[in-house]
Amino acid sequence: MAALTLQTLRPRLSFSSLKPLHPYLPRLSEALALYKIHLAPRFSLLRLCHSSSAAVTTASEDSPPPSPLVNASETSVIDVNPPRGTRDFLPDDMRLRNWLFENFREVSRMLAFEEVDFPVLESEALFIRKAGEEITEQLYSFEDKGGRRVALRPELTPSLARLVIQQGKSISLPLKWFAIGQCWRYERMTRGRRREHYQWNMDIIGTSRVRVLQAVLQSYSVPEKLFSKVCIIIDKIGKIPTEEIEKELMLVGLSLEAVKGLLQVLSLKSLSKLEEVLGAEGEAVSDLKKLFSLAEDYGYSQWIVFDASVVRGLAYYTGIVFEAFDREGKLRAICGGGRYDRLLSVFGGEDIPACGFGFGDAVIVELLKEKGLVPDLTRKVDDIVFPLDMELEGPASKVASSLRQQGRSVDLVEDKRLKWVFKHAERINASRLILVGSSEWQRGMVRVKNLATREEYEIKVDELE
């Protein structure tokens, strides 16, 4: 085995943190030497803890003394809260998150989607598309040490597009891919909206159609180059006064007639009314009719309503878009998505028709909690193994290892009183307590207590399962 060197750890250690180890340092140095691990010349545990201790270091007496590990004048109390808008996940929170993600994955599996993932850190250029687009202004972006502009991903779809382009002709269309990833946006926080969140994306790459907003703009002879700018402004409906919407639309080049007509169409809540405005032969109306027909066949038509004002704030959408809300309308959108047939060409690839959606974790968790629909996710452990004597820690470890190999979750508890063990078993909802005692072990037995029924019995170790 090649010798390893522990480099100087000045930023991490202080004299006070090493002092309690002093009685054990001779044995530690022997263990390190056994495995050919040597301490670097500037890092001697014994010398730090006691000036008269024998040195472990191989440095000469002429070596300069190590510099102080901690400058007391520079120490300060650290804020133990996570950065504003972010979260810690304690065990209870992780159980809820894992349960939610398992449901995401199960739905994706049932619909024959395959899972993919991407780096959290991407090139900034991947997300800089249109000036004024909200997501562009919310990037966590910076220059790395190589001088490259990078950003924490604010969404997953551009990363998916990049991956599809990267794979090129090697992939067979249509693709059905899903991902569950952490996203970052520096935005104003409200209920269900944070600066980091997890998002479930499902995307189908390889099928086509058109967007209502495009058809309306065409009817007023508005050039296609203004489409993305209009989308960004229309997405502000409900967030700023209508008068401001009208001003912004006219500033980008729409006539007053086009603005009035557009806002009138966007207020429609009936597909038949839209048909009166655009005509029955329009491709957008035809697409919507087909969508509602398919919804009827799939059995979820009662869950959808037509709303012409839903445009989504991401300018790359080109067809039907949608958002999902709680029925009472108290929370922000649970999920949203639509068709994006021209996103790949933005990054230099060939346009491939595509559609998909993003489904955040924050809003759905708020809603599930409010409706009392979160299941019981308390911690559950199959077995607690407890040696009644210190000399039986080895045998208890063997019992625990055997049970784990059989797929059971096992908590091996040592150096505690039996009263504490029973309370611990109640806290973690353990099913059984397995006691390893001297007399039982000599007979090849252990004592088992069923914590639900309070039944207690002895069993041979090799029959324990």
Side-chain angles (χ1 to χ4, degrees), residues 195-431:
R195 290 175 179 166
E196 62 82 23
H197 70 282
Y198 284 86
Q199 189 163 301
W200 169 39
N201 268 42
M202 293 182 74
D203 295 88
I204 300 177
I205 313 292
T207 47
S208 59
R209 303 285 187 226
V210 188
R211 194 171 183 182
V212 170
L213 187 56
Q214 287 171 313
V216 177
L217 294 177
Q218 287 169 6
S219 70
Y220 286 98
S221 302
V222 176
E224 188 175 345
K225 66 181 181 181
L226 294 180
F227 177 69
S228 60
K229 292 181 179 179
V230 171
C231 283
I232 292 166
I233 297 169
I234 294 301
D235 189 51
K236 299 176 183 178
I237 290 178
K239 303 173 186 175
I240 63 175
T242 304
E243 295 77 18
E244 292 297 319
I245 299 288
E246 292 176 351
K247 286 180 184 177
E248 290 192 25
L249 288 172
M250 293 178 71
L251 282 174
V252 299
L254 270 66
S255 66
L256 180 60
E257 180 190 11
V259 170
K260 295 294 185 183
L262 178 58
L263 294 179
Q264 180 187 359
V265 170
L266 294 179
S267 67
L268 298 177
K269 305 296 181 184
S270 164
L271 186 52
S272 61
K273 294 289 185 183
L274 179 69
E275 189 173 351
E276 290 176 11
V277 175
L278 297 181
E281 305 305 318
E283 192 176 357
V285 173
S286 176
D287 275 358
L288 283 165
K289 282 184 173 180
K290 185 170 183 180
L291 172 66
F292 277 82
S293 175
L294 288 170
E296 188 72 39
D297 293 336
Y298 274 107
Y300 60 78
S301 59
Q302 72 274 21
W303 294 93
I304 62 174
V305 294
F306 174 73
D307 185 344
S309 66
V310 176
V311 297
R312 304 288 292 155
L314 298 169
Y316 57 69
Y317 286 116
T318 57
I320 294 172
V321 293
F322 60 86
E323 291 181 336
F325 295 86
D326 61 295
R327 285 191 180 276
E328 296 179 11
K330 295 198 303 186
L331 300 171
R332 63 187 294 263
I334 298 168
C335 72
R339 175 158 297 287
Y340 54 96
D341 291 348
R342 293 196 288 272
L343 180 60
L344 271 65
S345 63
V346 173
F347 308 124
E350 295 182 8
D351 279 329
I352 301 175
C355 65
F357 70 82
F359 192 122
D361 68 323
V363 178
I364 191 62
V365 167
E366 287 282 334
L367 185 59
L368 290 170
K369 287 180 176 178
E370 186 175 286
K371 300 297 182 183
L373 296 174
V374 177
D376 180 12
L377 297 170
T378 52
R379 184 183 180 190
K380 290 181 173 62
V381 172
D382 292 327
D383 302 314
I384 291 179
V385 176
F386 179 61
L388 294 173
D389 297 308
M390 288 183 61
E391 293 77 13
L392 294 170
E393 289 179 356
S397 298
K398 290 181 181 179
V399 172
S401 179
S402 175
L403 290 169
R404 287 166 182 159
Q405 289 174 14
Q406 297 176 55
R408 295 182 68 83
S409 59
V410 181
D411 189 10
L412 176 60
V413 177
E414 300 171 331
D415 195 26
K416 291 289 184 182
R417 294 182 181 275
L418 190 57
K419 182 179 179 180
W420 184 94
V421 175
F422 276 107
K423 289 183 178 179
H424 179 61
E426 187 176 338
R427 280 194 299 271
I428 66 174
N429 292 296
S431 299

Side-chain angles (χ1 to χ4, degrees), residues 414-456:
E414 300 171 331
D415 195 26
K416 291 289 184 182
R417 294 182 181 275
L418 190 57
K419 182 179 179 180
W420 184 94
V421 175
F422 276 107
K423 289 183 178 179
H424 179 61
E426 187 176 338
R427 280 194 299 271
I428 66 174
N429 292 296
S431 299
R432 299 188 305 185
L433 173 59
I434 298 168
L435 301 171
V436 182
S438 296
S439 60
E440 291 89 353
W441 187 255
Q442 289 173 7
R443 291 182 282 114
M445 311 280 281
V446 291
R447 179 164 292 279
V448 177
K449 187 175 185 65
N450 186 311
L451 296 172
T453 64
R454 300 298 176 181
E455 176 189 6
E456 195 169 325

Side-chain angles (χ1 to χ4, degrees), residues 14 32 38 43 51 61 72 81 86 103 127 155 185 197 209 220-222 269 324 341 361 363 415 432 465:
S14 66
L32 292 172
H38 306 295
F43 183 63
S51 58
E61 294 299 323
N81 295 308
T86 68
N103 278 273
F127 308 105
E155 54 164 332
R185 296 187 189 186
H197 70 282
R209 303 285 187 226
Y220 286 98
S221 302
V222 176
K269 305 296 181 184
D341 291 348
D361 68 323
V363 178
D415 195 26
R432 299 188 305 185
E465 57 182 28

